[in-house]
Amino acid sequence: MKGTAFPWRLFKWFVGRQIFLGAIALAIFFALNWIWIQRQAEVPNEMRPALTWLAFWGLTGSLTVFAVVSVIMARHFVVPLKRLIEKTERIHASPFTEDAIEEAEDKPDEPGEWYELERALDQIGRDLQAKTIRLSREKTELRAIVSAVNEGIIAVNHLRQPLFFNSQFAIEFGLEGRTPEGLALGEILRSPDILNAFDQGLAAGESSHVQVSLETRNRGERSFQVSVTPLKKRHNQEIYGAVAVFYDVTERKRAEQMRNEFVGNVSHELRTPLTSIKGYLQTVMGDLGRGESKQALEFLGVVDRNVDRLMHLVDDLLDLSALQAGVALKRTVVDLQGVTDTVLGQIDHRDHEIVKTFAAKSLLADEHRLEQVLRNLLQNAIRYVPTRGKIEVAWSSLGKNGARLSVRDNGPGIEKSHQQRLFERFYRVDDARSRHVGGSGIGLALVKHIMQRHGGEVRVISEPGRGSEFICDFPG
Ligand SMILES: Nc1ncnc2c1ncn2[C@@H]1O[C@H](COP(=O)(O)OP(=O)(O)OP(=O)(O)O)[C@@H](O)[C@H]1O
Ligand SMILES: [Mg+2]
């Protein structure tokens, strides 16, 4: 491991200085001693070389002892220092994973300041480790939470540079597999409204909400409600970034629009017969007031028809809402010829030729709902096919237990552009004509929902001038 070698440099510096200083001190001491001896007149001349040698060996011996003591002292200081250096480097290099939590090491054999310092360093290392592990765990949890939400989230710094975005945001705006580094917010989101909201949040520290339409990667244009909130440092409230959450409100807006359209359509459908009823009733009242009763019966007949129409509309709407709310079906084995004859018996079809075929005999279905399907399709054919037209009702087998109903006519047919919308509530090809014959555009929507509840589907095959065929598949 790097840096774990004995700290020779410090050791050499320490020992070298001590020996150097010691040598100087001893040399001065022995030099003075030698000078002093030379000055002593009573010292015989023949003893002077011996004394000089003694001084020399004394100096050398002292220096050696001094050097040994100095090395021992240096070791005593430098070895714990080496350990501290190693420890510090270990703390610095540690990845601080949970499986590497260090236990406190006890070194009672080395008391003193070095030991205290080492213990303090151990404690700092363990605290740092615990904090790092906690932080990384919290970060992982937070990322998991942020990735699990359905909303796109992006955070930017005070320069509006992206710091983080969650996976939902990456999917929506084509950033999968990319990191925020080097990306510019203006390149990801080209909406001035959002960029302004970010600027406002970063400059004024205010949260804001904007509604925008944005082009998404896989789902085309979507409506988003974007909430931008500034990020502030806790201690001084300084703004260091902002985070934006993108709520997809497309479905909500669509549902709201559909609800508004529905209320508008219903009101319109109710208003027409009600206006007519009120008009006729006022006329009848006026006539009767003047003692005239000639036309009263005729006018009341119109009122009666309009009330019927209102009741029919309200019944259909209630049925439709019950089907959408998931009302249960009462499935029984239905005799197909019987149910078809019952429905034909309830409709005036004298002006049309009806041809029936029954290749399938029975079906497991809700009889009442099946009657509604037949009644709507047959009534439409009778309504929209001119007098003496031909209507074919055919039941055939579908799979093991299923059946297919086909109601075909040789009437005016329906243009391609209308065929897709035919099954929407209140949709009529020719508004004036349908209204004239008493249609409100609910019938086929009802048929579609009944078929869906049976697990089947309805479709139309038609060409203008060549008649229409409505096909209902019951999987059985
Ligand atoms: N057999 C058909 N031939 C030609 N056009 C048809 C036929 N059946 C339906 N249509 C067209 O489809 C439209 C929608 O039919 P739908 O049954 O939903 O409503 P409606 O008949 O107008 O009213 P309702 O059935 O609620 O009384 C009709 O207004 C009509 O224009
Ligand atoms: Mg109809």
Side-chain angles (χ1 to χ4, degrees):
M1 200 201 300
K2 192 182 153 234
T4 55
F6 188 79
W8 282 112
R9 209 166 59 88
L10 190 65
F11 181 78
K12 279 193 260 180
W13 181 86
F14 194 82
V15 173
R17 287 292 146 98
Q18 278 203 12
I19 292 178
F20 179 67
L21 289 174
I24 289 176
L26 284 169
I28 292 170
F29 171 73
F30 280 104
L32 291 174
N33 199 14
W34 186 75
I35 292 167
W36 181 77
I37 289 168
Q38 296 301 319
R39 291 215 176 148
Q40 299 304 310
E42 63 268 26
V43 177
N45 269 349
E46 60 276 12
M47 277 188 73
R48 284 179 194 273
L51 280 173
T52 306
W53 275 109
L54 192 70
F56 172 75
W57 284 114
L59 175 69
T60 313
S62 304
L63 212 56
T64 311
V65 170
F66 190 81
V68 170
V69 170
S70 168
V71 166
I72 292 168
M73 270 176 67
R75 263 187 65 82
H76 191 73
F77 277 103
V78 169
V79 167
L81 187 64
K82 175 197 165 201
R83 219 171 35 235
L84 285 177
I85 293 171
E86 278 176 14
K87 194 153 280 186
T88 319
E89 294 201 335
R90 234 183 11 250
I91 292 171
H92 175 66
S94 171
F96 287 141
T97 52
E98 274 172 77
D99 44 48
I101 291 182
E102 277 192 21
E103 288 303 318
E105 295 171 48
D106 253 352
K107 294 191 183 62
D109 52 322
E110 276 183 54
E113 285 80 1
W114 283 120
Y115 175 62
E116 292 299 322
L117 187 60
E118 197 171 344
R119 251 180 32 154
L121 201 62
D122 277 343
Q123 192 54 46
I124 290 172
R126 278 196 301 276
D127 285 355
L128 204 61
Q129 181 175 21
K131 276 187 188 140
T132 313
I133 289 170
R134 205 183 62 229
L135 270 177
S136 104
R137 208 181 288 161
E138 281 175 8
K139 197 170 152 191
T140 313
E141 283 167 9
L142 202 65
R143 288 211 171 210
I145 293 168
V146 165
S147 297
V149 295
N150 276 334
E151 283 71 36
I153 297 174
I154 184 168
V156 298
N157 64 11
H158 64 290
L159 298 172
R160 230 174 59 184
Q161 291 161 336
L163 295 172
F164 164 83
F165 47 76
N166 69 349
S167 47
Q168 189 58 30
F169 185 89
I171 294 168
E172 292 283 32
F173 301 107
L175 299 173
E176 282 159 288
R178 298 195 52 185
T179 52
E181 287 85 42
L183 290 173
L185 193 66
E187 282 171 27
I188 310 170
L189 305 165
R190 291 176 194 278
S191 156
D193 287 346
I194 296 186
L195 299 179
N196 281 343
F198 269 104
D199 289 342
Q200 196 183 329
L202 291 171
E206 285 165 13
S207 302
S208 54
H209 307 277
V210 278
Q211 277 233 6
V212 284
S213 271
L214 294 171
E215 191 64 32
T216 59
R217 168 86 168 220
N218 300 321
R219 302 189 299 150
E221 192 161 306
R222 310 282 297 177
S223 296
F224 290 97
Q225 154 110 28
V226 186
S227 299
V228 182
T229 312
L231 299 167
K232 295 177 183 171
K233 287 183 186 164
R234 206 188 293 179
H235 60 287
N236 61 0
Q237 296 294 299
E238 189 193 327
I239 300 163
Y240 66 92
V243 62
V245 183
F246 291 65
Y247 301 94
D248 188 337
V249 291
T250 317
E251 297 309 325
R252 206 176 71 196
K253 271 182 86 173
R254 200 172 288 161
E256 223 164 77
Q257 193 185 340
M258 275 174 72
R259 212 169 32 243
N260 287 342
E261 271 176 21
F262 179 70
V263 171
N265 281 329
V266 171
S267 316
H268 185 69
E269 290 305 322
L270 293 175
R271 194 164 182 84
T272 317
L274 281 173
T275 312
S276 158
I277 289 169
K278 188 157 177 66
Y280 279 102
L281 280 180
Q282 275 176 342
T283 314
V284 172
M285 275 156 60
D287 283 357
L288 290 178
R290 287 191 299 275
E292 294 172 21
S293 59
K294 262 193 290 170
Q295 285 182 300
L297 209 59
E298 185 193 331
F299 290 167
L300 285 176
V302 179
V303 169
D304 187 46
R305 275 202 301 283
N306 275 300
V307 170
D308 276 351
R309 194 172 152 192
L310 278 176
M311 284 172 67
H312 169 75
L313 174 67
V314 171
D315 283 347
D316 278 357
L317 285 172
L318 285 174
D319 258 341
L320 201 60
S321 94
L323 282 165
Q324 281 176 324
V327 68
L329 296 180
K330 294 190 198 88
R331 287 184 200 245
T332 51
V333 178
V334 182
D335 168 26
L336 297 176
Q337 185 155 4
V339 76
T340 310
D341 288 340
T342 308
V343 171
L344 281 169
Q346 294 163 352
I347 313 171
D348 180 2
H349 55 84
R350 280 169 297 177
D351 296 337
H352 294 84
E353 180 195 349
I354 309 278
V355 182
K356 301 177 276 181
T357 23
F358 297 96
K361 299 278 175 254
S362 62
L363 172 70
L364 188 68
D366 184 320
E367 185 160 1
H368 168 64
R369 300 292 176 195
L370 194 56
E371 275 181 20
Q372 277 183 306
V373 170
L374 269 165
R375 194 178 308 120
N376 273 299
L377 295 180
L378 287 167
Q379 215 154 36
N380 278 354
I382 291 164
R383 255 184 203 166
Y384 304 111
V385 176
T387 313
R388 279 190 291 283
K390 185 175 165 190
I391 300 164
E392 294 172 69
V393 190
W395 281 101
S396 54
S397 294
L398 192 73
K400 219 166 141 207
N401 299 314
R404 169 173 290 178
L405 164 69
S406 152
V407 178
R408 196 153 91 184
D409 63 58
N410 60 357
I414 303 158
E415 291 238 18
K416 265 256 164 331
S417 58
H418 295 293
Q419 288 180 17
Q420 278 166 358
R421 302 199 56 195
L422 221 51
F423 300 94
E424 289 175 17
R425 291 178 297 197
F426 298 112
Y427 191 81
R428 287 174 290 221
V429 175
D430 181 344
D431 228 22
R433 186 174 145 57
S434 296
R435 213 185 281 277
H436 177 71
V437 292
S440 52
I442 299 282
L444 287 178
L446 208 54
V447 171
K448 183 180 94 175
H449 279 95
I450 293 172
M451 292 313 296
Q452 281 175 351
R453 290 306 311 274
H454 278 85
E457 57 164 14
V458 55
R459 62 201 155 91
V460 60
I461 302 170
S462 182
E463 238 180 85
R466 296 192 157 203
S468 317
E469 182 181 12
F470 285 86
I471 299 167
C472 298
D473 285 343
F474 293 85

Short mmCIF file of all heavy atoms in Angstrom, two decimals, residues 312 316 376 380-381 383-384 409 412-414 422 427-430 434 438-445 468 470, ligand 1:
data_model
loop_
_atom_site.label_atom_id
_atom_site.label_comp_id
_atom_site.label_asym_id
_atom_site.label_seq_id
_atom_site.Cartn_x
_atom_site.Cartn_y
_atom_site.Cartn_z
N HIS A 312 -86.87 8.08 -23.68
CA HIS A 312 -85.97 7.17 -24.39
C HIS A 312 -84.51 7.61 -24.19
O HIS A 312 -83.63 6.80 -23.87
CB HIS A 312 -86.37 7.19 -25.87
CG HIS A 312 -85.42 6.51 -26.79
ND1 HIS A 312 -85.33 5.15 -26.87
CD2 HIS A 312 -84.51 7.01 -27.69
CE1 HIS A 312 -84.41 4.84 -27.78
NE2 HIS A 312 -83.90 5.96 -28.28
N ASP A 316 -81.62 5.63 -22.12
CA ASP A 316 -80.36 5.26 -22.78
C ASP A 316 -79.16 5.77 -21.99
O ASP A 316 -78.16 5.05 -21.80
CB ASP A 316 -80.30 5.82 -24.20
CG ASP A 316 -81.05 4.93 -25.18
OD1 ASP A 316 -81.53 3.87 -24.73
OD2 ASP A 316 -81.14 5.29 -26.37
N ASN A 376 -81.32 -1.74 -31.25
CA ASN A 376 -80.63 -0.56 -31.77
C ASN A 376 -80.19 -0.75 -33.21
O ASN A 376 -80.37 0.15 -34.05
CB ASN A 376 -79.41 -0.25 -30.90
CG ASN A 376 -79.79 0.65 -29.75
OD1 ASN A 376 -80.25 1.75 -29.95
ND2 ASN A 376 -79.65 0.14 -28.54
N ASN A 380 -81.91 1.22 -36.31
CA ASN A 380 -81.08 2.07 -37.18
C ASN A 380 -81.32 1.72 -38.65
O ASN A 380 -81.51 2.60 -39.49
CB ASN A 380 -79.60 1.88 -36.88
CG ASN A 380 -79.16 2.70 -35.68
OD1 ASN A 380 -79.94 3.50 -35.17
ND2 ASN A 380 -77.94 2.49 -35.25
N ALA A 381 -81.29 0.40 -38.93
CA ALA A 381 -81.46 -0.03 -40.32
C ALA A 381 -82.82 0.46 -40.85
O ALA A 381 -82.91 1.00 -41.96
CB ALA A 381 -81.36 -1.55 -40.42
N ARG A 383 -84.61 2.94 -39.71
CA ARG A 383 -84.62 4.40 -39.75
C ARG A 383 -83.89 4.95 -40.97
O ARG A 383 -84.35 5.86 -41.64
CB ARG A 383 -83.88 4.93 -38.54
CG ARG A 383 -84.77 5.48 -37.48
CD ARG A 383 -83.88 6.06 -36.39
NE ARG A 383 -84.60 6.11 -35.15
CZ ARG A 383 -84.01 6.31 -33.99
NH1 ARG A 383 -82.69 6.41 -33.92
NH2 ARG A 383 -84.73 6.39 -32.90
N TYR A 384 -82.69 4.41 -41.23
CA TYR A 384 -81.82 5.06 -42.22
C TYR A 384 -81.88 4.43 -43.62
O TYR A 384 -81.29 4.94 -44.56
CB TYR A 384 -80.38 5.12 -41.70
CG TYR A 384 -80.33 5.83 -40.35
CD1 TYR A 384 -80.02 5.14 -39.18
CD2 TYR A 384 -80.66 7.18 -40.27
CE1 TYR A 384 -80.02 5.78 -37.95
CE2 TYR A 384 -80.67 7.82 -39.03
CZ TYR A 384 -80.34 7.13 -37.88
OH TYR A 384 -80.37 7.78 -36.69
N ASP A 409 -77.77 -4.06 -44.37
CA ASP A 409 -78.85 -3.41 -45.11
C ASP A 409 -78.34 -2.93 -46.47
O ASP A 409 -77.14 -2.93 -46.71
CB ASP A 409 -79.42 -2.23 -44.30
CG ASP A 409 -78.40 -1.15 -44.05
OD1 ASP A 409 -77.86 -0.61 -45.04
OD2 ASP A 409 -78.10 -0.84 -42.87
N PRO A 412 -78.17 3.70 -47.52
CA PRO A 412 -77.24 4.71 -48.10
C PRO A 412 -75.77 4.46 -47.79
O PRO A 412 -74.90 5.03 -48.45
CB PRO A 412 -77.71 6.02 -47.46
CG PRO A 412 -78.35 5.60 -46.17
CD PRO A 412 -78.96 4.27 -46.42
N GLY A 413 -75.50 3.64 -46.79
CA GLY A 413 -74.10 3.41 -46.42
C GLY A 413 -73.52 4.58 -45.63
O GLY A 413 -74.17 5.62 -45.46
N ILE A 414 -72.31 4.40 -45.14
CA ILE A 414 -71.69 5.43 -44.29
C ILE A 414 -70.27 5.70 -44.80
O ILE A 414 -69.51 4.76 -45.06
CB ILE A 414 -71.63 4.95 -42.82
CG1 ILE A 414 -73.03 4.59 -42.32
CG2 ILE A 414 -70.98 5.98 -41.92
CD1 ILE A 414 -73.05 3.65 -41.14
N LEU A 422 -68.55 6.66 -35.22
CA LEU A 422 -69.96 6.25 -35.15
C LEU A 422 -70.37 5.76 -33.76
O LEU A 422 -71.51 5.95 -33.34
CB LEU A 422 -70.16 5.10 -36.15
CG LEU A 422 -71.41 5.08 -36.98
CD1 LEU A 422 -71.62 6.40 -37.67
CD2 LEU A 422 -71.31 3.96 -38.01
N TYR A 427 -72.81 10.93 -31.46
CA TYR A 427 -72.30 11.15 -32.81
C TYR A 427 -73.35 10.74 -33.85
O TYR A 427 -73.86 9.63 -33.83
CB TYR A 427 -71.00 10.37 -33.05
CG TYR A 427 -70.33 10.79 -34.34
CD1 TYR A 427 -69.56 11.94 -34.38
CD2 TYR A 427 -70.53 10.07 -35.51
CE1 TYR A 427 -68.98 12.36 -35.57
CE2 TYR A 427 -69.95 10.49 -36.71
CZ TYR A 427 -69.18 11.63 -36.72
OH TYR A 427 -68.63 12.04 -37.91
N ARG A 428 -73.64 11.67 -34.76
CA ARG A 428 -74.59 11.37 -35.84
C ARG A 428 -73.98 11.81 -37.15
O ARG A 428 -73.31 12.84 -37.22
CB ARG A 428 -75.91 12.14 -35.60
CG ARG A 428 -76.71 11.55 -34.47
CD ARG A 428 -77.90 12.40 -34.15
NE ARG A 428 -77.49 13.64 -33.54
CZ ARG A 428 -78.11 14.21 -32.52
NH1 ARG A 428 -79.19 13.65 -32.02
NH2 ARG A 428 -77.69 15.32 -32.02
N VAL A 429 -74.23 11.01 -38.17
CA VAL A 429 -73.63 11.34 -39.48
C VAL A 429 -74.32 12.58 -40.03
O VAL A 429 -73.67 13.56 -40.39
CB VAL A 429 -73.78 10.16 -40.46
CG1 VAL A 429 -73.29 10.54 -41.84
CG2 VAL A 429 -73.02 8.95 -39.93
N ASP A 430 -75.61 12.51 -40.05
CA ASP A 430 -76.39 13.64 -40.57
C ASP A 430 -77.28 14.10 -39.43
O ASP A 430 -78.34 13.52 -39.16
CB ASP A 430 -77.22 13.17 -41.78
CG ASP A 430 -78.03 14.30 -42.39
OD1 ASP A 430 -78.18 15.33 -41.71
OD2 ASP A 430 -78.51 14.14 -43.53
N SER A 434 -80.99 12.61 -38.58
CA SER A 434 -81.13 11.72 -37.42
C SER A 434 -82.11 12.30 -36.42
O SER A 434 -82.96 11.61 -35.87
CB SER A 434 -79.78 11.52 -36.73
OG SER A 434 -78.90 10.88 -37.58
N GLY A 438 -85.80 11.10 -34.90
CA GLY A 438 -85.87 10.85 -33.45
C GLY A 438 -84.62 10.28 -32.84
O GLY A 438 -84.62 9.81 -31.71
N GLY A 439 -83.50 10.32 -33.59
CA GLY A 439 -82.26 9.74 -33.04
C GLY A 439 -81.46 10.77 -32.25
O GLY A 439 -81.45 11.94 -32.57
N SER A 440 -80.81 10.30 -31.18
CA SER A 440 -79.99 11.22 -30.39
C SER A 440 -78.51 10.83 -30.42
O SER A 440 -77.68 11.47 -29.79
CB SER A 440 -80.50 11.29 -28.96
OG SER A 440 -80.60 9.97 -28.46
N GLY A 441 -78.18 9.73 -31.12
CA GLY A 441 -76.77 9.35 -31.25
C GLY A 441 -76.22 8.54 -30.10
O GLY A 441 -75.01 8.41 -29.93
N ILE A 442 -77.11 7.95 -29.30
CA ILE A 442 -76.65 7.16 -28.15
C ILE A 442 -76.60 5.67 -28.50
O ILE A 442 -75.82 4.91 -27.96
CB ILE A 442 -77.62 7.36 -26.95
CG1 ILE A 442 -77.66 8.82 -26.53
CG2 ILE A 442 -77.23 6.48 -25.78
CD1 ILE A 442 -76.50 9.27 -25.72
N GLY A 443 -77.51 5.25 -29.42
CA GLY A 443 -77.71 3.82 -29.70
C GLY A 443 -76.44 3.02 -29.91
O GLY A 443 -76.20 2.02 -29.22
N LEU A 444 -75.58 3.46 -30.82
CA LEU A 444 -74.39 2.65 -31.13
C LEU A 444 -73.36 2.68 -29.99
O LEU A 444 -72.62 1.72 -29.80
CB LEU A 444 -73.75 3.12 -32.44
CG LEU A 444 -74.55 2.73 -33.70
CD1 LEU A 444 -73.88 3.28 -34.97
CD2 LEU A 444 -74.67 1.20 -33.83
N ALA A 445 -73.34 3.79 -29.21
CA ALA A 445 -72.44 3.85 -28.04
C ALA A 445 -72.87 2.78 -27.04
O ALA A 445 -72.04 2.08 -26.45
CB ALA A 445 -72.50 5.22 -27.40
N SER A 468 -74.78 -0.96 -45.40
CA SER A 468 -73.91 -1.09 -44.23
C SER A 468 -74.10 -2.45 -43.59
O SER A 468 -75.19 -3.03 -43.66
CB SER A 468 -74.25 -0.04 -43.17
OG SER A 468 -74.48 1.21 -43.76
N PHE A 470 -73.36 -4.19 -39.79
CA PHE A 470 -72.85 -4.08 -38.42
C PHE A 470 -72.63 -5.50 -37.91
O PHE A 470 -73.54 -6.34 -37.96
CB PHE A 470 -73.85 -3.33 -37.52
CG PHE A 470 -73.84 -1.85 -37.79
CD1 PHE A 470 -74.62 -1.31 -38.81
CD2 PHE A 470 -73.04 -0.99 -37.06
CE1 PHE A 470 -74.60 0.05 -39.08
CE2 PHE A 470 -73.02 0.37 -37.32
CZ PHE A 470 -73.80 0.90 -38.34
N1 LIG B 1 -77.71 1.31 -40.93
C1 LIG B 1 -77.28 2.56 -41.02
N2 LIG B 1 -77.19 3.18 -42.22
C2 LIG B 1 -76.74 4.43 -42.34
N3 LIG B 1 -76.39 5.21 -41.29
C3 LIG B 1 -76.47 4.67 -40.06
C4 LIG B 1 -76.92 3.34 -39.84
N4 LIG B 1 -76.89 3.07 -38.52
C5 LIG B 1 -76.45 4.20 -37.94
N5 LIG B 1 -76.21 5.16 -38.84
C6 LIG B 1 -75.66 6.51 -38.57
O1 LIG B 1 -74.98 6.45 -37.33
C7 LIG B 1 -75.44 7.44 -36.45
C8 LIG B 1 -75.34 6.98 -35.03
O2 LIG B 1 -76.25 5.94 -34.77
P1 LIG B 1 -76.83 5.74 -33.34
O3 LIG B 1 -77.68 4.54 -33.33
O4 LIG B 1 -75.71 5.78 -32.40
O5 LIG B 1 -77.68 7.05 -33.07
P2 LIG B 1 -79.13 7.44 -33.57
O6 LIG B 1 -79.74 6.32 -34.32
O7 LIG B 1 -79.00 8.74 -34.30
O8 LIG B 1 -79.89 7.73 -32.21
P3 LIG B 1 -80.45 6.68 -31.16
O9 LIG B 1 -80.01 5.33 -31.61
O10 LIG B 1 -79.80 7.09 -29.89
O11 LIG B 1 -81.90 6.86 -31.11
C9 LIG B 1 -76.83 7.74 -36.89
O12 LIG B 1 -77.21 9.04 -36.55
C10 LIG B 1 -76.74 7.54 -38.39
O13 LIG B 1 -76.32 8.76 -38.98
#
